[in-house]
């Protein structure tokens, strides 16, 4: 290596010669040009590399390739492209997204792991060719890894989690959604060796039971985000352990976990006061009693998905309107007991004027235009969903728009049946009537 100038080796600039007459190359020091190039994206860097020999050196310098996301650039890449990138970037690379790169397999990622040992964030979302071998490589060569996304990598098994637990102790966020071979054994190995885990995304890991959650609750005190959507075997028992062990929890998704009851809402209220996001769609056993406890204790709630929580009534909305001033997004679709009175309380609560941005009321048959009147003072309201709200009218929506002209209203009104044809002897019917 040549002598360094401001931390940049002279050898990087050996291709610059006096024959390069571009004004910018004459006026600006090469170190400054390199710094400018460091702000460019992948596409722009590649274009710059074709301008001249000197710019080719600058554009392809490893220091400019610390963050690479190929998702919006090119997804049909082969493994050799990843190998070439890794050889060029080497220890400079910190963040790489190969999301959706279906052609990348274990061999390429082994070469990558060997060359890019300072990688901290790696997304392999949808790279369906990879297996446990890739996690073995990451474990062996990438000890600084903090964020890893393996969602939809369906060949991943417990062996991957055991490997990561041995070689990646700094892991903070892991997404293994839809890796449906994962069981409690893999989770146990992972959480025992990675105490700094803050985010776990286990959506669609259908083999997970309460035992897995007990390991998380016992070993992940730093946990902030947990997604267990459609993990249908879990019950109150496992989730209560999570609540008691993870007091910093801010986001919990248990949508589609039909076995849970109000006991979970009580546990969250008693143990997780920092909760901001709660998604419990299709949890039909939850009632006003549980949501009352939750609202009275979790005042930082910002987003709640209560779709198909069919037992809740206006009582839940009254409690949210009183105790949750930061509420921004609320889904009440298919909550058929909600009425205009509940929306009235919500519209007059502390969250209404400056916070509430989205409210979803699809298939709420008791909602009428009166609800829209109650929401007209919600100045931050950006979107409202009203599909299949039979008592909502076009006139009511029009009146709402006079107060909130930029609001997005999603509703559906069935087309009027065509009138009988004039002068014909045969009655005409619309397509719907023919089908019926």
């Amino acid at each position: 290596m040549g002598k360094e100038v401001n931390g940049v080796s002279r050898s990087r600039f050996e291709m610059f010669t006096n024959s390069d007459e571009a004004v910018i190359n004459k006026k600006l020091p090469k170190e400054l040009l390199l710094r400018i190039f460091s702000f460019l994206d992948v596409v722009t860097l590649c274009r710059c590399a074709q301008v001249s020999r000197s710019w080719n050196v600058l554009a392809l310098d490893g220091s400019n390739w610390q963050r690479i996301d190929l998702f919006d650039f090119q997804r049909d890449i082969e493994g050799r492209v990843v190998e070439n990138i890794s050889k060029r970037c080497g220890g400079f690379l910190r963040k790489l997204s190969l999301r959706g790169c279906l052609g990348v397999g274990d061999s390429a990622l082994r070469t990558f792991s060997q060359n890019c040992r300072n990688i901290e964030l790696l997304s392999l979302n949808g790279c369906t060719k990879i297996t446990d071998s890739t996690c073995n490589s990451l474990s062996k060569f990438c000890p600084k890894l903090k964020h890893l996304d393996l969602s939809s990598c369906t060949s991943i098994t417990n062996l991957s989690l055991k490997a990561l637990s041995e070689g990646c102790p700094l892991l903070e966020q892991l997404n293994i959604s839809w890796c449906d071979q994962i069981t409690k054994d893999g989770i146990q190995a992972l959480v025992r060796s990675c105490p700094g885990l803050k985010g776990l995304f286990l959506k669609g890991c259908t083999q997970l039971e309460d035992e897995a959650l007990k390991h998380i609750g016992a070993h992940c005190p730093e946990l902030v985000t947990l997604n267990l959507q459609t993990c249908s075997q879990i019950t109150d028992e496992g989730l209560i352990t999570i609540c008691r062990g993870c007091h910093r929890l801010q986001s919990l998704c248990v949508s589609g976990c039909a076995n849970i009851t109000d006991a979970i809402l009580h546990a969250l209220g008693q143990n997780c006061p920092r909760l901001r996001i709660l998604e419990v769609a299709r949890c039909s056993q939850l009632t006003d009693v549980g949501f009352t406890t939750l609202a009275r204790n979790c005042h930082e709630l910002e987003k709640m998905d209560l779709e198909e929580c069919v037992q809740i009534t206006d009582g839940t909305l009254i409690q949210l309107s009183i105790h949750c001033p930061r509420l921004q997004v609320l889904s009440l679709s298919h909550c058929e007991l909600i009425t205009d009175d509940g929306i009235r309380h919500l519209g007059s609560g502390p969250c209404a004027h400056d916070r509430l941005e989205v409210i979803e009321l699809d298939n709420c048959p008791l909602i009428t235009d009166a609800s829209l009147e109650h929401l007209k003072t919600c100045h931050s309201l950006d979107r409202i969903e009203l599909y299949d709200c039979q008592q909502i009218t076009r006139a009511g929506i029009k009146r709402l728009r006079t107060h909130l002209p930029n609001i997005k209203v999603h509703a559906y009104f069935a087309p009027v049946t065509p009138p009988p044809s004039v002068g014909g002897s045969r009655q005409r019917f619309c397509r719907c009537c023919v089908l019926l």
Side-chain angles (χ1 to χ4, degrees):
M1 297 291 288
K3 182 180 179 182
E4 290 194 354
V5 179
N6 295 328
V8 180
S9 172
R10 289 187 186 276
S11 63
R12 296 184 181 182
F13 306 128
E14 290 175 354
M15 296 298 294
F16 288 91
T17 66
N18 293 331
S19 62
D20 199 331
E21 298 297 329
V23 175
I24 190 172
N25 293 335
K26 288 183 176 181
K27 295 293 185 181
L28 294 181
K30 304 306 179 289
E31 296 82 9
L32 183 55
L33 282 170
L34 187 63
R35 176 64 174 163
I36 293 171
F37 275 49
S38 71
F39 292 97
L40 304 181
D41 59 28
V42 173
V43 176
T44 309
L45 282 170
C46 290
R47 289 173 177 168
C48 289
Q50 301 175 57
V51 171
S52 67
R53 293 179 71 191
S54 57
W55 276 33
N56 182 276
V57 174
L58 292 170
L60 299 183
D61 190 276
S63 64
N64 292 325
W65 297 70
Q66 298 183 41
R67 298 171 298 276
I68 303 175
D69 187 344
L70 295 179
F71 186 75
D72 294 322
F73 176 50
Q74 184 176 347
R75 274 169 274 173
D76 57 344
I77 64 171
E78 298 177 358
R80 60 181 178 82
V81 175
V82 175
E83 294 178 3
N84 291 338
I85 288 175
S86 71
K87 292 172 183 177
R88 177 168 299 284
C89 301
F92 286 108
L93 190 61
R94 297 293 188 276
K95 300 179 181 180
L96 174 65
S97 176
L98 298 174
R99 180 166 57 115
C101 295
L102 301 179
V104 177
D106 293 328
S107 177
L109 286 165
R110 179 175 176 80
T111 301
F112 163 82
S113 301
Q114 292 172 330
N115 290 324
C116 301
R117 303 191 181 206
N118 292 319
I119 192 73
E120 296 177 2
L121 185 152
L122 178 62
S123 175
L124 301 174
N125 183 333
C127 297
T128 52
K129 283 188 176 181
I130 71 168
T131 70
D132 295 328
S133 177
T134 286
C135 289
N136 285 330
S137 298
L138 294 172
S139 172
K140 186 174 181 180
F141 300 111
C142 303
K144 297 182 180 180
L145 192 62
K146 293 182 179 179
H147 291 218
L148 179 60
D149 188 346
L150 297 170
S151 53
S152 298
C153 298
T154 53
S155 295
I156 293 298
T157 73
N158 291 332
L159 294 177
S160 284
L161 301 194
K162 291 176 181 178
L164 292 171
S165 70
E166 294 168 359
C168 303
L170 302 181
L171 205 61
E172 294 181 1
Q173 183 166 299
L174 178 65
N175 190 337
I176 48 173
S177 296
W178 309 113
C179 297
D180 55 7
Q181 298 187 61
I182 298 297
T183 70
K184 62 180 177 63
D185 295 332
I187 296 297
Q188 180 181 13
L190 178 76
V191 298
R192 283 187 171 181
S193 299
C194 300
L197 277 170
K198 296 180 180 179
L200 264 178
F201 299 84
L202 308 174
K203 179 179 180 180
C205 294
T206 52
Q207 292 197 57
L208 295 185
E209 301 172 334
D210 289 334
E211 286 300 315
L213 304 194
K214 291 177 182 179
H215 293 307
I216 296 172
H219 298 285
C220 298
E222 304 294 320
L223 196 66
V224 173
T225 302
L226 179 62
N227 190 318
L228 296 165
Q229 183 174 336
T230 68
C231 296
S232 55
Q233 296 192 61
I234 65 173
T235 70
D236 294 343
E237 184 180 359
L239 282 170
I240 289 174
T241 306
I242 294 284
C243 297
R244 290 174 176 171
C246 307
H247 298 291
R248 299 188 178 187
L249 196 65
Q250 294 182 21
S251 176
L252 176 64
C253 176
V254 287
S255 294
C257 300
N259 294 322
I260 68 173
T261 72
D262 284 342
I264 297 308
L265 302 181
H266 291 299
L268 285 168
Q270 293 166 1
N271 297 282
C272 304
R274 302 182 187 182
L275 193 67
R276 295 188 300 107
I277 300 173
L278 178 64
E279 299 178 28
V280 288
R282 304 182 302 284
C283 297
S284 58
Q285 297 189 59
L286 303 181
T287 72
D288 292 337
V289 175
F291 284 111
T292 296
T293 300
L294 182 78
R296 289 178 177 177
N297 292 279
C298 297
H299 306 303
E300 298 184 19
L301 281 166
E302 297 176 0
K303 177 183 177 181
M304 297 186 71
D305 184 354
L306 311 185
E307 182 174 346
E308 292 188 41
C309 291
V310 294
Q311 295 194 53
I312 66 171
T313 71
D314 294 338
T316 289
L317 299 192
I318 292 171
Q319 295 300 320
L320 293 176
S321 68
I322 296 171
H323 300 291
C324 300
R326 299 186 180 185
L327 200 59
Q328 298 176 18
V329 179
L330 180 62
S331 176
L332 299 167
S333 297
H334 295 272
C335 296
E336 299 186 356
L337 302 180
I338 298 297
T339 74
D340 295 332
D341 191 54
I343 302 300
R344 176 177 66 82
H345 281 89
L346 191 67
S348 60
C351 70
H353 299 291
D354 301 318
R355 297 278 186 168
L356 194 62
E357 298 176 0
V358 176
I359 184 165
E360 299 178 355
L361 297 168
D362 299 335
N363 292 94
C364 292
L366 303 181
I367 295 298
T368 73
D369 287 349
S371 284
L372 305 187
E373 291 294 316
H374 298 321
L375 294 172
K376 66 184 182 183
T377 57
C378 300
H379 303 299
S380 296
L381 199 59
D382 176 68
R383 175 168 60 87
I384 184 169
E385 304 283 340
L386 297 166
Y387 289 115
D388 291 316
C389 293
Q390 299 295 329
Q391 300 192 66
I392 295 293
T393 68
R394 288 187 174 89
I397 293 173
K398 185 176 181 180
R399 286 193 295 271
L400 178 65
R401 283 196 166 121
T402 62
H403 297 276
L404 304 171
N406 297 319
I407 192 172
K408 302 178 186 70
V409 180
H410 297 157
Y412 173 78
F413 297 93
V416 177
T417 302
S421 59
V422 177
S425 59
R426 187 168 64 90
Q427 182 76 32
R428 290 178 58 87
F429 296 98
C430 72
R431 184 182 299 273
C432 298
C433 295
V434 171
L435 293 174
L436 293 174

